[in-house]
Amino acid sequence: MRLVVALALMLGATTAHASCAPKETVVQFLRDSFKEILVSSGVMPNGVVLEIYASPNGTWTAVMVKDGTACLGPEGYGWLNIKDEKPGRRA
């Protein structure tokens, strides 16, 4: 929720429901505010790209992207990269 409220304020929205913005704006906000960078991504069955942004201190945010618009999802702490390996495409 902290990201939704902060992003809404940054974008000049009148309510905290403004959890979507152009992807570039969301990425810059996560980088500048929380030092989070893209660490993982995948495509969901509906074509939406799920991206995970994480910081060196373990905070993370899930972002859903479609047609250049990014929407903030769950967030948390304690992100840990288990294995640095590319799993490839599922058949």
Side-chain angles (χ1 to χ4, degrees):
M1 187 65 177
R2 66 181 162 98
L3 290 177
V4 173
V5 173
L7 187 59
L9 292 173
M10 184 182 91
L11 296 175
T14 57
T15 70
H17 273 62
S19 59
C20 298
K23 181 180 176 182
E24 297 79 21
T25 302
V26 172
V27 170
Q28 181 176 347
F29 172 75
L30 293 173
R31 183 178 51 245
D32 294 348
S33 299
F34 305 104
K35 308 295 185 241
E36 293 179 353
I37 61 168
L38 181 64
V39 296
S40 192
S41 69
V43 180
M44 296 189 288
N46 62 1
V48 173
V49 177
L50 174 65
E51 298 180 338
I52 303 295
Y53 291 79
S55 72
N57 68 2
T59 64
W60 60 268
T61 304
V63 176
M64 289 147 292
V65 182
K66 178 113 180 172
D67 300 327
T69 299
C71 297
L72 296 171
E75 62 192 51
Y77 60 91
W79 183 265
L80 176 63
N81 288 323
I82 303 300
K83 200 170 190 181
D84 189 20
E85 182 178 304
K86 294 185 186 337
R89 288 193 94 137
R90 285 178 37 184

